[in-house]
Amino acid sequence: LPVATDATCSGLQILAGLCRDARTASLVNVLPGERPADAYAVVAEHAKPNVPVSIQPYMDRKTVKRVVMTVPYNAKPHSNRGYIRDALKEKGVEVEKDDLTATVNAVRDAMDEVVPGPMAAMKWIESEVAKAIKRGATELQWVTPSGFVVHQRLMKQEKTRIELKLLGSVQRITTATGDSDKVDLMHHKNATAPNLIHSLDASLLHLSAIRFNAPLALIHDSVLARASDMAVLSCIVRETYMHLFAEHDYLQSWADQIGATTPPPIVDTLEPESVIESPYFFC
C-alpha cells in the first residue's frame, strides 16, 4: 500500500533552514513537538486584532492559509486579496474593498512578526538581485547542493500591437513576439526567491531519492512510498535536511555565487540537527 507524506509549508521550512530561524522552524515542524505545529493558525490569531471588526469572527487558518503558503514564493498583495476574498466568500462573507485591504495588510504585518527570518531573507534576496542586475549581470546562476546548475535568464519581451476584427469592430491588442536584449529587473526581483526555494526543495528530494533503494514517487514537497518503507524514507528526508542546513551555510554560499554586497540575514537561533527528532517534519 503506497503512503504519501508532505512537508509542512515547505517554503517556510526551507527559508527557516537558510536563515537558521528557530522561531519559524518551530511553527513548520522543523523542530520536534508533541503535536503538529500550525503556522497558518498562528498567523491568523496574530493578525486577528488588526483586521476590521466585521472580519474578526472569520479569521482562522483557512482564511489565511493560501496567503501564508504563497508569500514565501513572493506572492504580492494583489494575489493575497484574491485568496482572502475567496476564503471569506466560502464562509458566506462578502468583504468591502477597504476592509479587504486592511485584512491583507494585517496578515502580511503578522508574518513580519511571526516569521521574521524568512521575511527578512526574502527582502535581502530581492535587494541583492536588483544590485546584481544593475551592475550589469544579464542572468543569475547558482549551483544547488545536489549539483544542479540553475540559470535564471529573464529578459523583457518584444511586443507588437495587432488589430483584430471581431463582429464588425476592430480590437487592438498588444502581444509578445519574443525576448528582447534587455534584462527584466522586476521579473528577476520577483522570481529569484521562489526559484531559490524550489531549487532547494528539489535538492532535498533529489538527495533523498538517491539514498532510497525502493519504489518512490515525488512531487514538489511530497514523497510517496510503500507503507513498509516509510520509516526508512522518513529518516532519510530528515537527515538530508539536516545535512543541507547544518553542515553548510548555503545562504552565504548563494550570496557568494551571485556576488552579494551585504551579508545575508542569518538569525542563527536554529540547530538544524533537531529535525532528526521531529515527528511531523513530513507527515
Side-chain angles (χ1 to χ4, degrees):
L1 179 68
V3 174
T5 61
D6 295 353
T8 305
C9 200
S10 62
L12 288 178
Q13 285 184 337
I14 295 295
L15 287 168
L18 282 173
C19 61
R20 298 189 179 181
D21 178 4
R23 181 176 181 181
T24 299
S26 68
L27 294 176
V28 291
N29 298 312
V30 172
L31 292 179
E34 294 182 1
R35 300 177 62 184
D38 189 347
Y40 309 123
V42 173
V43 171
E45 192 63 27
H46 204 84
K48 188 174 182 177
N50 300 313
V51 305
V53 174
S54 60
I55 304 300
Q56 289 181 4
Y58 309 101
M59 283 298 290
D60 56 22
R61 71 184 310 274
K62 189 171 183 180
T63 298
V64 306
K65 180 177 180 179
R66 291 188 71 187
V67 174
V68 176
M69 187 184 298
T70 58
V71 163
Y73 300 102
N74 226 1
K76 298 302 183 184
H78 176 73
S79 61
N80 299 163
R81 294 175 66 87
Y83 296 150
I84 291 177
R85 184 193 298 111
D86 291 345
L88 291 173
K89 193 171 183 178
E90 287 183 12
K91 299 174 186 289
V93 178
E94 292 291 341
V95 59
E96 297 292 334
K97 179 179 178 181
D98 291 344
D99 287 351
L100 181 59
T101 299
T103 303
V104 169
N105 291 340
V107 173
R108 293 184 70 93
D109 290 345
M111 290 191 68
D112 281 330
E113 297 180 21
V114 173
V115 289
M119 298 300 282
M122 290 176 59
K123 291 175 183 175
W124 173 82
I125 290 169
E126 190 170 300
S127 173
E128 289 300 331
V129 165
K131 293 176 187 177
I133 299 302
K134 290 176 181 177
R135 287 195 302 268
T138 57
E139 67 176 47
L140 298 179
Q141 177 179 310
W142 63 89
V143 181
T144 71
S146 64
F148 181 78
V149 182
V150 178
H151 294 277
Q152 181 174 282
R153 180 177 174 84
L154 301 168
M155 313 302 287
K156 291 184 177 180
Q157 293 185 320
E158 295 279 9
K159 296 181 178 180
T160 187
R161 289 180 64 84
I162 61 176
E163 294 184 353
L164 303 175
K165 192 168 185 180
L166 178 66
L167 300 177
S169 62
V170 174
Q171 307 290 328
R172 294 178 177 84
I173 64 171
T174 301
T175 185
T177 58
D179 289 341
S180 72
D181 59 356
K182 296 179 181 178
V183 179
D184 193 333
L185 171 61
M186 189 57 65
H187 198 173
H188 271 287
K189 289 172 64 177
N190 291 336
T192 303
N195 286 343
L196 175 59
I197 292 169
H198 283 310
S199 73
L200 292 172
D201 274 340
S203 289
L204 174 63
L205 296 191
H206 179 192
L207 293 171
S208 297
I210 60 179
R211 292 180 55 198
F212 185 66
N213 187 27
L216 176 68
L218 309 169
I219 178 169
H220 182 47
D221 62 346
S222 176
V223 295
L224 181 146
R226 295 177 302 197
S228 55
D229 297 325
M230 280 305 301
V232 173
L233 180 57
S234 294
C235 288
I236 290 174
V237 169
R238 286 158 175 77
E239 289 171 359
T240 303
Y241 183 93
M242 178 189 71
H243 294 319
L244 287 181
F245 299 114
E247 299 178 3
H248 308 283
D249 187 352
Y250 187 77
L251 193 56
Q252 182 60 61
S253 170
W254 185 84
D256 295 338
Q257 291 182 69
I258 69 159
T261 59
T262 60
I266 306 296
V267 180
D268 211 19
T269 55
L270 171 66
E271 295 181 356
E273 300 91 332
S274 302
V275 73
I276 298 298
E277 305 299 326
S278 176
Y280 303 112
F281 177 60
F282 269 58
C283 64

